[in-house]
Amino acid sequence: MKWVRLYNETAMDPKWRLVAADSGQPVHAVLAVWAAMLCHASGIVPRGTLAGWSDRLIGAALDLSAAAVASIRAAMQGVTLDGDRLSAWDKRQFKSDHNGAERMRDHRARRTAVEEPAGESAAVTSPPLRAADSRVQITERKNTPQSPPPTADPPADPPAEPLAHPPPARSSLAADFADWYGRYPHRVGRAAAERAYLAARKRGAAREDLLSGVDRYRERLAQPDAPRPCNPATWLVQERWTDDPMPPAPESRIKACGRSPAPEPLDTHRPSRTTIEAILAERCPQLHPMRVRDFAQQLDRWFNCGRPGWNSFWGDPPDSPECEIPVTAIAAVRAHLAAGIEGRA
C-alpha cells in the first residue's frame, strides 16, 4: 500500500496564507490542493512529481474551478513547487514509505544478517528477494542455527497389543444384561441399570462375577435383618459385586444371645420352598424363573412365620391387595395347604 507522510505543522504552516493571498483563494482550498498534490505525487513514477496533473480533474474532485486550481498551483511555485516537482519531497518523504511489504522484507533481511554468525553470514545471506520469493526466504531462515532444520519423520508408534479379553459384541452384552437383571431382587430403573451394566463390563467386570455377586446380594437381602435394597444402577456403579460374602446367620437372634431358640410352630405341616416353587411354576408359567424363586422364598417365610417373618423390602405382604405376588400363586399355595390339612384330618 502506498502512502505519504503528513507532518503535524502542515495545517498551521504560514506559507499557505501567502499562497492564498497570491492566488486569491481561501486557505482551505490551498490546503485541499496541496493534499491532492501529495497524493498524486505518491502514486506516479517517478514519485514526487506532478506528471500527468490535470487542473480540471482535481478541481472537479475538490469542488473548485480549474482556474482556481491553476492559480493556486502557480502561487506555489518557489514555495512548495519547483516546476513539476515538489521541492521538499526527498526531505519529507522517505523511499521506504511507498511499499510496506518491501520495507518489512528489507527489515527482516537486515535482522537475519545481524543474528547469523559472522563465519556463516556470507554463505547464507542472499540478495533481497522479490515478493514472489517470500516462501523461499522463510525456509532459509528456518534452517539457520537458531532454528535447526526439521529432522526426519519420527518413528511410528509401535502397534497396540491386542486385548487379552476383547469386549463382547453389543447383542451379547444385551443378553447378559437381561440375564443379570432378571436375577436382581429390586428391579427398578432398567434403562439406567443397563447403562451402568455396560459401563461395568467395559471397565473389565466379567459376566460370571456380576452374576455371582447378585446371587450373594440376594442371599444377604433374604436375612431378617437385611437392609433396604439399592437400585440396580447404584449397585453397579458402587461395584457391589466385590463385597465380601456375609457370614452365616445364626438360627435366631435369641440363640445368638445365649438363650434357647424360639419353639417350633405346632402345625409342622407346611409346604416346603421346593413345593412352593413347583406350584408357582405350574400355575404361573409366564413368570421368570428368578421371580419364581423370589416369590417362593417370600411365601415360604409368610406361611411359616407369618407377618413377623415378612421382610419389609419385599413390599406389601400376601394379605394385602397391593402385594406384588400374583393372586393366583397365593391362592394355589393356600389350596395346597388346605388340602394337606384335610388329608391329615
Side-chain angles (χ1 to χ4, degrees):
M1 181 182 65
K2 297 180 180 180
W3 55 284
V4 294
R5 295 173 182 264
L6 191 65
Y7 289 86
N8 297 335
E9 66 274 12
T10 300
M12 306 303 296
D13 197 327
K15 62 176 173 287
W16 305 130
R17 291 185 177 275
L18 177 62
V19 174
D22 294 344
S23 62
Q25 300 297 324
V27 176
H28 64 269
V30 175
L31 285 171
V33 172
W34 173 247
M37 289 180 176
L38 290 175
C39 296
H40 180 83
S42 176
I44 64 173
V45 179
R47 300 178 74 235
T49 66
L50 296 181
W53 175 273
S54 172
D55 294 335
R56 183 182 178 189
L57 292 178
I58 298 300
L62 300 179
D63 198 16
L64 296 173
S65 63
V69 175
S71 63
I72 294 174
R73 181 167 56 84
M76 286 184 178
Q77 292 293 333
V79 180
T80 59
L81 293 180
D82 185 7
D84 284 344
R85 184 168 183 81
L86 279 66
S87 56
W89 179 268
D90 295 334
K91 177 182 177 182
R92 294 286 189 173
Q93 309 297 330
F94 297 157
K95 180 181 179 181
S96 59
D97 292 344
H98 66 283
N99 194 317
E102 294 182 4
R103 185 177 68 257
M104 180 57 68
R105 186 164 56 251
D106 295 341
H107 169 71
R108 289 173 179 171
R110 290 193 301 271
R111 187 177 62 181
T112 302
V114 172
E115 292 177 354
E116 291 174 351
E120 300 180 2
S121 59
V124 178
T125 303
S126 59
L129 301 177
R130 298 186 302 277
D133 300 331
S134 58
R135 278 187 282 182
V136 178
Q137 181 189 19
I138 295 174
T139 304
E140 291 180 359
R141 291 187 58 210
K142 287 184 178 179
N143 293 334
T144 59
Q146 287 74 19
S147 178
T151 58
D153 294 339
D157 296 335
E161 297 182 359
L163 297 176
H165 301 284
R170 184 79 179 185
S171 58
S172 176
L173 285 175
D176 294 347
F177 169 74
D179 188 12
W180 176 89
Y181 190 75
R183 298 191 185 189
Y184 196 80
H186 187 55
R187 286 173 284 276
V188 294
R190 182 185 180 97
E194 185 172 6
R195 290 193 296 268
Y197 183 88
L198 297 179
R201 293 294 299 272
K202 288 181 180 180
R203 292 196 303 266
R207 173 180 179 273
E208 294 74 12
D209 295 341
L210 295 174
L211 293 176
S212 60
V214 79
D215 290 341
R216 291 194 304 270
Y217 188 61
R218 290 166 53 88
E219 295 174 0
R220 179 179 183 182
L221 294 180
Q223 300 180 8
D225 57 347
R228 293 182 61 85
C230 60
N231 293 347
T234 305
W235 190 88
L236 290 166
V237 170
Q238 295 179 355
E239 300 186 359
R240 300 290 297 276
W241 66 87
T242 60
D243 293 350
D244 295 334
M246 291 291 293
E251 296 181 4
S252 67
R253 294 183 180 181
I254 299 178
K255 186 174 181 180
C257 295
R259 290 176 285 176
S260 59
E264 297 291 336
L266 297 178
D267 186 4
T268 58
H269 188 75
R270 303 289 184 185
S272 64
R273 185 179 300 184
T274 304
T275 304
I276 296 176
E277 286 188 18
I279 295 173
L280 295 179
E282 178 183 357
R283 298 297 181 90
C284 305
Q286 74 279 6
L287 292 178
H288 191 275
M290 299 305 301
R291 300 290 282 175
V292 171
R293 289 181 54 186
D294 290 343
F295 292 156
Q297 175 189 2
Q298 298 170 17
L299 291 176
D300 176 62
R301 297 285 297 179
W302 173 257
F303 285 111
N304 285 279
C305 303
R307 188 175 290 274
W310 185 260
N311 200 326
S312 61
F313 87 89
W314 292 336
D316 295 325
D319 60 353
S320 172
E322 302 296 332
C323 182
E324 186 182 5
I325 304 175
V327 178
T328 55
I330 300 175
V333 176
R334 283 178 176 167
H336 177 81
L337 179 60
I341 294 176
E342 291 177 358
R344 279 200 314 162

